[in-house]
Amino acid sequence: MKTFIRIIAVAWFTFILVESNAQTVKGAISVGKKSELKLETRSDNLIDIFIDFRKDRYPILFSFQGDGIKSKEGKEIIFFEFITEVYHNGKLMGKTSRNPMPYIPGDMIIGTEGFDFISLLSYNEKSRAFLKETPGKLAPGSYQVKLLARPLEAKGQIKPATFSFNIQ
């Protein structure tokens, strides 16, 4: 019985030691300094939306902090996979993910290319016929874009951002 108790105690302390040394992250993505934003669109042209993001009218900020991050060659880095989901009238139009990229803790501005929602809005199965008839125009309806970041080899999570807009 004493041996069994010792084995359980050693296993418990090993578990606690491993858990206390685990890499953890917490953070958020924001669009225009908000986690949820309703865009004011100037037109139904996708290029106008792209320009608003490029001119930092709606900056995308990725921010995270970490505990127990292992140093690689003197740098504390975590690899993240960025995931983008685009919805039109509540239905998933498309989803894409970017190959994992290394990031250091702190705040970073991410361009539209980091999430690739412009290409999802411009070319997908549901909008292909409409875009052939009216290049650069978005089909009428409500749009929602979700931006997510998933840490690899680390625990924790990054709060996603969502922005939406309507096309008349």
Side-chain angles (χ1 to χ4, degrees):
M1 185 64 159
K2 287 183 181 181
T3 304
F4 178 72
I5 292 173
R6 284 185 185 152
I7 291 172
I8 296 297
V10 168
W12 176 255
F13 286 119
T14 302
F15 173 76
I16 298 240
L17 183 63
V18 168
E19 282 296 307
S20 67
N21 289 330
Q23 297 183 89
T24 59
V25 297
K26 66 178 179 178
I29 300 171
S30 63
V31 177
K33 300 182 182 180
K34 297 180 180 181
S35 63
E36 290 187 33
L37 180 68
K38 176 84 169 159
L39 301 186
E40 300 293 327
T41 56
R42 296 181 282 156
S43 74
D44 61 353
N45 194 314
L46 182 59
I47 299 303
D48 289 333
I49 294 171
F50 179 65
I51 289 170
D52 284 343
F53 277 92
R54 293 296 290 175
K55 290 187 174 183
D56 287 332
R57 183 174 180 199
Y58 305 114
I60 301 171
L61 181 67
F62 172 52
S63 176
F64 82 95
Q65 300 302 318
D67 285 328
I69 297 175
K70 295 176 186 170
S71 180
K72 296 184 182 187
E73 298 180 21
K75 306 281 185 196
E76 294 179 334
I77 62 169
I78 293 286
F79 280 81
F80 286 90
E81 174 187 28
F82 289 107
I83 303 163
T84 307
E85 298 175 353
V86 176
Y87 296 84
H88 181 238
N89 294 329
K91 294 182 182 176
L92 183 66
M93 282 177 55
K95 180 178 180 175
T96 187
S97 65
R98 186 172 144 200
N99 287 335
M101 294 282 295
Y103 286 90
I104 58 173
D107 300 335
M108 288 140 271
I109 298 285
I110 306 288
T112 57
E113 299 82 4
F115 289 97
D116 208 21
F117 57 85
I118 297 296
S119 68
L120 283 175
L121 286 166
S122 66
Y123 189 78
N124 60 72
E125 292 299 321
K126 292 183 179 180
S127 67
R128 187 177 299 162
F130 182 81
L131 286 171
K132 282 183 180 177
E133 296 171 18
T134 57
K137 303 283 185 185
L138 290 168
S142 64
Y143 290 84
Q144 183 182 50
V145 178
K146 291 183 181 180
L147 309 176
L148 304 105
R150 186 173 62 92
L152 305 180
E153 300 177 10
K155 293 184 178 190
Q157 67 179 27
I158 304 299
K159 185 178 178 186
T162 303
F163 67 88
S164 59
F165 58 94
N166 290 315
I167 299 297
Q168 301 298 327

